[in-house]
Amino acid sequence: MILSDSLKNELQHAGKIVFFTGAGISAESGVSTFRGEGGIWNKFKPEELASFQAFMKNADMVWEWYQYRRKIVHDVVPNAAHLAITEFQKYYPSVVVVTQNIDNLHTRAGNKEVYELHGNIERNYCSACKKRYDFLEFKDNKVPRCECGGLIRPDVVWFGESLPPDELAAGEFAAEHCDVLFSVGTSSIVYPAAYIPLQTKKAGKYVVEVNLTETEQTRYFDELIKGKAGEVLPAILEEIKMFRKPLP
Ligand code: BJW
Ligand code: ZN
């Protein structure tokens, strides 16, 4: 049995569940995490690639890095963790995903209410006039230009940039009004996103971390379930099926 008595009690009575997710939930799909073992940033320094200054200094290199990751994300598929969240939707009237991931895997898995705090790698916009360039085929690795002459950039949030205000507000609202929040596969060190699960705690509700290791925030949460997201979330769901009926 994976559920503690207290978590089982919470999940028996809960109506609103939030999944706050990070790169670790996509690791089993074959998308690298940023930090830790196998993390992309063991090889590349974030400030060299994930900032507007870096883009202005070496736009082709940054663009090529995103093209490389875009191809990976396009070729992989959602894993058992994303799919378990889709199935949670059958048992709880409100299941909200607040993700730091830009890989679109939640939506591809059928997660219905998804707020993307750090953007989406499948979208682009002009850094000068903000015109959108979504789902365009950009064939070569040189950064494309907008019809206004500006450089086209991926629609992701770099260091020092604001998060999309509507997505952040919706994520905060969900975190403050849920019964149980699962913080899955995130190192919980990048702010303001990392405030989300703390807001649930502040509202007096239950927070469960699912991760391979302890994180910066483990001590604030009600419990840590150590393990792979793709194993832990389906195991939780199997136990839920023993005490909850699917919604009509
Ligand atoms: C598994 C697993 C498996 C593995 N199963 N688990 C305090 C308050 C506010 C801001 C700051 C602050 N202090 C510092 C800041 C600034 C900065 C920040 O947070 N820096 C910290 C690093 C210290 N924040 C910002 O700059 C943000 N903007 C901002 O603050 O604006 C304010 C402002 C704006 C304008 C004017 C004035 C002020 C923006 C942050 C943007 C982050 N962007 C990135 C890149 C996105 C694009 C891209 O992908 O290229 O987002 S950085 C990167 O980190 C990415 C991620 O979403 C984010 C979080 O990483 P995540 O998801 O947690 O991944 P990992 O790799 O760190 O962790 C993986 C975890 O999974 C590990 O724990 C593993 O153990 C686990 N795992 N396999 C379960 N199978
Ligand atoms: Zn433009």
Side-chain angles (χ1 to χ4, degrees):
M1 293 284 151
I2 197 161
L3 298 181
S4 64
D5 288 346
S6 48
L7 178 55
K8 182 173 175 188
N9 184 46
E10 295 292 336
L11 289 171
Q12 272 170 335
H13 300 106
K16 297 181 180 173
I17 310 281
V18 169
F19 290 92
F20 173 66
T21 65
I25 198 170
S26 297
E28 289 157 79
S29 291
V31 183
S32 298
T33 59
F34 294 93
R35 306 169 186 85
E37 209 180 310
I40 324 179
W41 289 350
N42 295 337
K43 287 172 248 163
F44 304 101
K45 285 208 185 83
E47 60 275 15
E48 278 169 19
L49 295 165
S51 73
F52 189 68
Q53 289 85 331
F55 183 64
M56 289 325 256
K57 210 168 128 195
N58 200 341
D60 285 339
M61 184 180 83
V62 172
W63 182 260
E64 191 177 344
W65 189 55
Y66 280 94
Q67 287 291 79
Y68 162 76
R69 291 172 57 205
R70 216 171 247 147
K71 174 149 181 21
I72 292 173
V73 160
H74 183 262
D75 290 347
V76 302
V77 292
N79 65 53
H82 301 101
L83 297 170
I85 296 175
T86 308
E87 228 185 310
F88 263 80
Q89 295 171 162
K90 294 187 189 153
Y91 292 86
Y92 292 93
S94 170
V95 175
V96 177
V97 174
V98 183
T99 189
Q100 299 165 85
N101 299 343
I102 60 169
D103 57 27
N104 215 24
L105 288 176
H106 282 296
T107 301
R108 283 173 58 196
N111 303 170
K112 289 203 184 82
E113 192 173 351
V114 180
Y115 299 110
E116 294 172 319
L117 301 182
H118 291 162
N120 187 312
I121 199 167
E122 297 193 351
R123 300 189 303 247
N124 304 279
Y125 66 94
C126 170
S127 56
C129 73
K130 314 294 174 211
K131 182 176 164 39
R132 307 205 63 86
Y133 286 87
D134 295 345
F135 312 112
L136 273 188
E137 277 279 328
F138 297 115
K139 292 224 171 52
D140 70 43
N141 278 337
K142 273 177 85 71
V143 60
R145 286 197 180 258
C146 173
E147 56 200 23
C148 83
L151 297 172
I152 294 174
R153 58 164 286 176
D155 187 0
V156 299
V157 180
W158 285 326
F159 284 111
E161 294 184 327
S162 312
L163 276 58
D166 294 349
E167 307 269 325
L168 180 60
E172 287 173 336
F173 184 88
E176 281 163 14
H177 293 87
C178 68
D179 302 305
V180 178
L181 180 144
F182 291 93
S183 177
V184 186
T186 174
S187 56
S188 298
I189 61 166
V190 175
Y191 287 87
Y195 285 127
I196 295 279
L198 300 178
Q199 282 167 298
T200 303
K201 268 322 296 168
K202 204 169 157 204
K205 295 303 162 67
Y206 206 85
V207 177
V208 185
E209 188 172 47
V210 177
N211 203 304
L212 303 177
T213 60
E214 290 193 6
T215 69
E216 296 283 317
Q217 290 191 347
T218 304
R219 64 185 182 280
Y220 303 121
F221 299 152
D222 294 287
E223 58 182 282
L224 163 65
I225 303 180
K226 258 194 198 176
K228 291 185 176 178
E231 293 170 5
V232 172
L233 296 190
I236 292 174
L237 189 69
E238 282 315 302
E239 283 189 41
I240 287 171
K241 288 179 183 172
M242 294 178 200
F243 55 76
R244 275 186 93 107
K245 290 200 170 56
L247 299 170

